[in-house]
Amino acid sequence: MDLSFLHEVNPTHYEDTYYVDLDLYDIPSMGCAYILDADRPAVIETGVGKRYERILEALDEIGIKYEDVEVIAPTHVHLDHAGGAGFLARECPNATVRTYERGARHLVDPSRLVTGTKQAVGERWKFYVEPVPIDEDRVSGLEDGDVIDLGDRELEVHHAPGHAKHQAVYYDRQSDVVFAADAAGIYVPELDRIQPTTPPTQFDLEGALTDIDLLRDLDPDMLLYTHFGPRADVDRALSEYEELLKEWVDEIREKRAELTGDEAVIEHFPQRTDIVDLWGEENAVSEIRMNVRGVLGYLDRQ
């Protein structure tokens, strides 16, 4: 069996922590799930539901029985993070699905989430699958300050609403790593750089900058990005994203004042993308357009 999608974060320093490349949007190194081989095993993030079987294959390889998985914890309910939760819950019958309380109801009834996602991602919906609803008694909401008990380690829950009001990051103090959700941007390991993630409908610049300060205050040894993978130079990563966000919003604000109509603004920025070779034209353009729309929505609320 080909398990080239399964990686250890760093077996020397972060024992029993793995990540699974889910080829989000059919792009390698674009989206992943994490597996913690703890006393109470956990899966952090679940992808869009497509290729969720890779997580099951990874559990098999690591030696974790499906019935022993106790926690499935998307950092928020955007479907690139939580779309596979229902599939995994079906296969892992003793797991409780944990996510920030504001979004938990959408795992029980994902219909509104699906409608919003289709509007946000447009033609990229073809890379998704319809999520499986989860029985209400298997979903448990999280609040800021909660702790997810995994037996030999704990995950501290910190609300991080700048990207989405239902987002949290999880701090594993024992390993000194943070599961960063989308609070630190999109890390592109092939280019060793950060891309913005500012989608509709809840992006808030001030909130996103506050989330960066939260990550600084936690001061982890490593950030574990959902998009994508581990990054150790935390101070540099957070500084890069802070400056990128400010410049990104300012540039869209200025272009909106210059051009006639928001569609002209949305069409302007994909022409400047330089990640086409890596992500492909369709995905690169779609990602940029979605993020521009998110900033325009933020500017409308100012």
Side-chain angles (χ1 to χ4, degrees), residues 211-266:
D211 294 345
I212 292 171
D213 287 338
L214 163 67
L215 294 172
R216 282 198 179 103
D217 290 342
L218 292 174
D219 192 26
D221 188 53
M222 181 173 283
L223 296 173
L224 300 182
Y225 285 83
T226 308
H227 315 287
F228 173 87
R231 182 168 176 174
D233 53 343
V234 173
D235 290 343
R236 176 183 154 215
L238 296 178
S239 294
E240 283 181 359
Y241 193 47
E242 180 178 41
E243 291 307 309
L244 174 64
L245 274 180
K246 293 175 182 177
E247 292 171 1
W248 175 237
V249 172
D250 283 346
E251 192 171 1
I252 293 172
R253 182 188 288 112
E254 291 168 4
K255 193 56 62 175
R256 190 186 221 185
E258 174 188 330
L259 299 176
T260 301
D262 284 353
E263 284 305 313
V265 179
I266 293 167

Side-chain angles (χ1 to χ4, degrees), residues 51-77:
R51 301 190 182 90
Y52 79 93
E53 295 92 347
R54 286 189 177 183
I55 301 174
L56 300 177
E57 292 171 14
L59 291 170
D60 289 336
E61 177 67 16
I62 296 165
I64 301 173
K65 296 178 180 178
Y66 303 164
E67 60 267 26
D68 290 341
V69 175
E70 296 205 25
V71 174
I72 299 167
T75 57
H76 57 300
V77 297

Side-chain angles (χ1 to χ4, degrees), residues 8-253:
E8 292 185 78
V9 167
N10 184 321
T12 303
H13 300 289
Y14 313 109
E15 188 177 3
D16 299 329
T17 304
Y18 304 83
Y19 61 109
V20 180
D21 189 345
L22 298 174
D23 282 356
L24 178 65
Y25 308 136
D26 290 350
I27 304 171
S29 303
M30 183 64 177
C32 67
Y34 289 90
I35 297 174
L36 300 183
D37 188 11
D39 286 347
R40 302 180 65 231
V43 177
I44 312 298
E45 311 289 44
T46 68
V48 297
K50 192 175 182 180
R51 301 190 182 90
Y52 79 93
E53 295 92 347
R54 286 189 177 183
I55 301 174
L56 300 177
E57 292 171 14
L59 291 170
D60 289 336
E61 177 67 16
I62 296 165
I64 301 173
K65 296 178 180 178
Y66 303 164
E67 60 267 26
D68 290 341
V69 175
E70 296 205 25
V71 174
I72 299 167
T75 57
H76 57 300
V77 297
H78 285 165
L79 287 181
D80 54 330
H81 295 252
F87 295 96
L88 288 180
R90 185 176 63 192
E91 300 294 332
C92 302
N94 297 316
T96 300
V97 181
R98 313 293 309 273
T99 198
Y100 198 73
E101 52 87 19
R102 185 164 185 147
R105 68 185 186 278
H106 295 296
L107 299 182
V108 177
D109 178 5
S111 56
R112 288 181 60 188
L113 189 60
V114 168
T115 298
T117 302
K118 288 180 177 179
Q119 291 173 347
V121 304
E123 293 182 0
R124 281 204 292 181
W125 177 254
K126 66 186 179 184
F127 296 110
Y128 291 70
V129 295
E130 290 283 340
V132 172
I134 304 170
D135 290 343
E136 187 172 7
D137 61 0
R138 295 192 61 193
V139 177
S140 178
L142 297 164
E143 296 183 0
D144 187 66
D146 281 353
V147 171
I148 302 173
D149 180 10
L150 301 182
D152 58 343
R153 69 179 82 179
E154 295 179 336
L155 301 180
E156 300 174 8
V157 178
H158 297 272
H159 191 206
H163 172 82
K165 294 178 181 178
H166 47 82
Q167 178 180 255
V169 299
Y170 305 142
Y171 180 35
D172 180 347
R173 189 174 294 275
Q174 177 176 315
S175 295
D176 199 19
V177 299
V178 170
F179 296 88
D182 289 337
I186 294 173
Y187 177 51
V188 186
E190 296 90 343
L191 303 177
D192 190 30
R193 68 180 237 208
I194 303 291
Q195 289 286 119
T197 174
T198 58
T201 56
Q202 298 176 345
F203 168 71
D204 176 75
L205 175 61
E206 289 74 24
L209 296 175
T210 298
D211 294 345
I212 292 171
D213 287 338
L214 163 67
L215 294 172
R216 282 198 179 103
D217 290 342
L218 292 174
D219 192 26
D221 188 53
M222 181 173 283
L223 296 173
L224 300 182
Y225 285 83
T226 308
H227 315 287
F228 173 87
R231 182 168 176 174
D233 53 343
V234 173
D235 290 343
R236 176 183 154 215
L238 296 178
S239 294
E240 283 181 359
Y241 193 47
E242 180 178 41
E243 291 307 309
L244 174 64
L245 274 180
K246 293 175 182 177
E247 292 171 1
W248 175 237
V249 172
D250 283 346
E251 192 171 1
I252 293 172
R253 182 188 288 112

